[in-house]
Amino acid sequence: MLDLLLARYTNIRRGTLTDRWVRAEHVKSGMGYAGGQRIVDFIAADKHPGGSSGSGLALHGHEVKVSRSDWLTELRDPAKADTIKRFMHHWWLVVPDTSIVRPGELPEGWGLLVIGANGRLRAKVSAPRLDPVPAPLHFTISLMSSAARTAHREPMRRDAPRVPFQRRMRCGFCGTISPCALHQQRAGAARLEAAS
């Protein structure tokens, strides 16, 4: 499910090497190893400012639930999600199948992402724009730390997109001519295998 979220929140602007999104997996509500920490499965930060007011800038929080029992456990403890949801502009439940969430169970202010027929996540219920409270410094640093870890792990799980830039195909993460040895290892290995 996290790989599907990585794919959903990757959008390299045409003619640039600029990704619209910053991705972070397993973001803790604070720093350190103190008890009582809450963890959100995935946060995507939208860097696209939208209009002149910058109203498009947003944090999208995601809770992933892969079974009905997992979802029912979440419903029994609504404070768990609220610990981090209060800092988000949009809040999503992400499930592999709509049967996990029965009609009327989706809490107010939540959106619903489901795997569609094409194997990609699609919005079954749009997440409304929320009015978040300012995030404290300990959460901001935790989010930054998770984004850095996610960026480091990402090439181990998928190749960076290939993008046309300056008349060459390039790595969508660093701009190196594609296939990039660091961010497009699978494409590079396939190219070497085809050449031999």
Side-chain angles (χ1 to χ4, degrees):
M1 296 299 287
L2 292 176
D3 289 342
L4 293 174
L5 284 165
L6 288 172
R8 178 179 174 84
Y9 293 104
T10 299
N11 183 354
I12 311 289
R13 289 183 50 214
R14 186 177 173 91
T16 73
L17 295 172
T18 305
D19 195 337
R20 175 178 176 168
W21 300 94
V22 176
R23 298 163 291 279
E25 299 173 351
H26 307 294
V27 182
K28 290 198 275 183
S29 58
M31 298 301 301
Y33 298 98
Q37 294 270 2
R38 302 297 187 162
I39 298 173
V40 65
D41 295 310
F42 191 90
I43 293 178
D46 190 349
K47 301 186 303 182
H48 190 271
S52 59
S53 66
S55 61
L57 300 173
L59 294 173
H60 293 252
H62 301 78
E63 275 294 326
V64 175
K65 301 297 171 198
V66 295
S67 69
R68 175 94 179 127
S69 61
D70 195 14
W71 171 236
L72 292 175
T73 300
E74 180 76 22
L75 284 178
R76 283 192 288 275
D77 187 8
K80 177 182 176 273
D82 289 340
T83 301
I84 296 176
K85 179 181 175 244
R86 61 194 172 123
F87 307 131
M88 300 293 116
H89 298 89
H90 301 275
W91 192 256
W92 298 90
L93 173 63
V94 186
V95 296
D97 186 271
T98 55
S99 65
I100 291 174
V101 183
R102 296 200 175 136
E105 285 183 345
L106 193 65
E108 186 175 335
W110 289 49
L112 179 62
L113 293 174
V114 181
I115 299 174
N118 62 359
R120 303 178 97 174
L121 290 173
R122 65 177 185 82
K124 175 101 173 155
V125 175
S126 292
R129 183 143 180 125
L130 305 171
D131 189 21
V133 300
L137 186 57
H138 66 271
F139 176 74
T140 302
I141 293 171
S142 176
L143 177 57
M144 292 172 65
S145 176
S146 293
R149 274 193 320 275
T150 301
H152 180 72
R153 284 193 310 253
E154 206 167 336
M156 293 183 248
R157 295 169 49 200
R158 68 174 184 148
D159 276 356
R162 294 178 70 227
V163 296
F165 185 69
Q166 296 176 342
R167 300 182 191 165
R168 303 283 303 265
M169 291 306 288
R170 297 184 182 267
C171 171
F173 290 170
C174 70
T176 303
I177 293 172
S178 186
C180 166
L182 183 61
H183 302 116
Q184 297 171 326
Q185 297 171 17
R186 290 156 199 80
R191 188 176 187 185
L192 285 173
E193 190 173 303
S196 58

